[in-house]
Amino acid sequence: MRDITVALAKGRLAELSIDMFERIGFDVAAMREKSRKLIFRDEKYGFRFILVKASDVPTYVEYGAADIGIVGRDTLLEDGKDLYEMIDLQFGKCKMCVAGPHEMKDQLDKINHLRVASKYPNVARSYFQNSKGRSIEIIKLNGSVELAPLVGLSEVIVDIVESGQTLKENSLEVLEEICDLSARFVVNRVSIKMEKERIMSVVDQFRELVGERK
Ligand code: PRP
């Protein structure tokens, strides 16, 4: 029997994913220990768990190096790969938003040359294109995006907002909501055919845990 490989997005989502696997009987306790190890195995079910950077989860799953991935919808939207999304896991809930200083609320649709800073350039571009029919200048950043409007790098940002604390502490606010986000269970399209039974057994138990009807 070959191992089924699960790619988890390192950090909070991985911790919550580990909780779910534990609740359905997997032995993943070793993943909770502080270590630099990136790969773990559950002997009983023959599952391997790999810890990868969130933005790399879709790549592992698309190429079949992982059969299953657990990652935020933000990453999937930005990445745009053709993966089979099977469950909304209902954790890691937050929103993709356009945010900026209060005075931008009235200005957003008036400014001719709008600069938008974001870790999510594809999401930002398609939001402004599809919902407003306008092109914008995208400034790609890799973190601390809230800084951009404060130092004149951009007028607004497109970013995820969870508690709203980061915006608040930097005198910014949500100007427009783009979409709801949460963790998703995705599967490689070949794996779901080749390993249907073992993957669906986990899917069915997870669906039950999140209260989704079969
Ligand atoms: C994320 C996001 C916001 C913040 C939102 O950043 O990009 O900055 O969290 O959370 P809040 O609404 O609860 O304050 P992250 O912590 O991943 O760090 P980064 O800016 O370095 O990417």
Side-chain angles (χ1 to χ4, degrees):
M1 187 170 73
R2 80 164 180 97
D3 279 356
I4 301 275
T5 302
V6 184
L8 301 178
K10 263 196 235 174
R12 223 173 67 83
L13 287 192
E15 278 171 32
L16 294 166
S17 309
I18 294 165
D19 286 346
M20 291 197 74
F21 278 99
E22 267 185 342
R23 285 167 71 190
I24 64 167
F26 279 74
D27 177 16
V28 282
M31 293 184 76
R32 295 193 184 286
E33 289 161 19
K34 287 249 172 298
S35 85
R36 306 287 290 175
K37 233 177 118 172
L38 298 171
I39 187 158
F40 300 84
R41 188 165 190 279
D42 169 280
E43 298 293 334
K44 189 160 134 206
Y45 297 101
F47 270 54
R48 278 198 306 180
F49 295 85
I50 58 174
L51 291 172
V52 309
K53 210 172 144 78
S55 53
D56 291 335
V57 170
T59 306
Y60 279 86
V61 177
E62 188 192 36
Y63 283 92
D67 303 286
I68 294 168
I70 297 184
V71 67
R73 182 174 180 233
D74 52 326
T75 307
L76 296 171
L77 289 174
E78 179 61 23
D79 193 273
K81 286 198 173 64
D82 181 31
L83 306 175
Y84 188 13
E85 189 180 310
M86 299 200 72
I87 321 170
D88 177 348
L89 293 169
Q90 309 283 344
F91 60 76
K93 286 190 181 182
C94 48
K95 283 184 195 293
M96 185 70 77
C97 296
V98 181
H102 177 73
E103 54 274 20
M104 281 305 302
K105 193 133 198 153
D106 302 328
Q107 294 297 311
L108 194 58
D109 293 329
K110 295 182 188 150
I111 293 178
N112 272 335
H113 186 92
L114 188 70
R115 296 168 303 162
V116 180
S118 188
K119 289 187 275 189
Y120 304 94
N122 296 327
V123 171
R125 191 178 298 107
S126 66
Y127 174 70
F128 281 92
Q129 191 60 56
N130 300 336
S131 73
K132 295 169 180 286
R134 66 175 293 185
S135 56
I136 50 166
E137 181 180 356
I138 303 276
I139 298 170
K140 166 82 167 74
L141 292 177
N142 297 301
S144 303
V145 180
E146 291 82 359
L147 263 177
L150 303 181
V151 298
L153 180 60
S154 72
E155 278 70 51
V156 296
I157 63 173
V158 163
D159 200 10
I160 55 176
V161 178
E162 193 177 355
S163 65
Q165 199 60 26
T166 313
L167 289 182
K168 202 169 159 208
E169 290 186 17
N170 292 289
S171 311
L172 302 172
E173 60 184 60
V174 171
L175 304 173
E176 292 178 5
E177 289 185 4
I178 299 179
C179 63
D180 289 323
L181 303 168
S182 57
R184 303 297 159 103
F185 185 105
V186 292
V187 181
N188 171 276
R189 292 192 177 272
V190 176
S191 305
I192 191 63
K193 293 194 184 104
M194 307 297 286
E195 293 288 348
K196 192 169 181 192
E197 225 169 276
R198 292 165 77 203
I199 293 175
M200 283 313 292
S201 156
V202 171
V203 167
D204 288 343
Q205 292 178 81
F206 274 16
R207 281 186 174 150
E208 217 150 277
L209 283 182
V210 299
E212 210 179 87
R213 263 188 225 159
K214 278 188 208 165

